[in-house]
Amino acid sequence: MVLDILIAEDEPAILESLEFILQRKGWSVAAVHDGEAALEALVRLQPRVLLLDIMLPRKNGMDVLKTIRAQPELYQANVLVLTARGQRYDRKMASDLNADGFITKPYSNSEVIAEVSRLLSTPQIVAG
């Protein structure tokens, strides 16, 4: 079975909310609470989309995104950055690292669902 979405989020209330709205749409969802676990789960679970918070313990989201983009043969998920840090600098950095989408908290459920739907319909680029 292919995993649709991996959520990397350390705030329990936000994680629970995201899991609920995404599973309600019928998507398969898994979650991790830190950046190191996100990288491990990407390889192990091979999700189609990664919802990535920037402020994560053990390895922040931007470092996770840098690692993903530096090794496309290993990490093939589309990445949606989801963060409370919505300053222009953060958006530019995410864009420079080729994030596939960017949503600022607080977000609406419909906004998250629309972006995830878009990314799930976008083919993953597999190097090789």
Side-chain angles (χ1 to χ4, degrees), residues 92-124:
K92 180 171 181 354
M93 185 176 212
S95 176
D96 289 349
L97 292 170
N98 297 316
D100 300 293
F102 190 97
I103 294 179
T104 303
K105 298 174 190 173
Y107 53 81
S108 69
N109 291 348
S110 60
E111 181 181 19
V112 172
I113 289 167
E115 274 297 285
V116 169
S117 293
R118 178 182 71 80
L119 292 175
L120 285 172
S121 67
T122 302
Q124 296 169 314

Side-chain angles (χ1 to χ4, degrees), residues 2-72:
V2 173
L3 180 67
D4 293 317
I5 304 156
L6 175 64
I7 304 169
E9 170 64 61
D10 64 327
E11 175 56 47
I14 294 171
L15 179 58
E16 185 177 332
S17 169
L18 287 169
E19 283 180 313
F20 177 78
I21 65 169
L22 296 170
Q23 287 173 340
R24 190 173 68 194
K25 292 295 290 180
W27 294 316
S28 56
V29 178
V32 294
H33 304 283
D34 66 66
E36 291 290 338
L39 290 172
E40 186 277 329
L42 280 167
V43 173
R44 184 172 43 84
L45 301 174
Q46 299 182 4
R48 296 167 56 206
V49 172
L50 170 63
L51 263 66
L52 180 63
D53 186 18
I54 289 178
M55 302 294 289
L56 290 172
R58 296 187 58 213
K59 185 181 274 269
N60 74 50
M62 289 301 184
D63 288 339
V64 170
L65 186 53
K66 284 178 194 173
T67 301
I68 291 168
R69 295 310 188 223
Q71 299 177 56

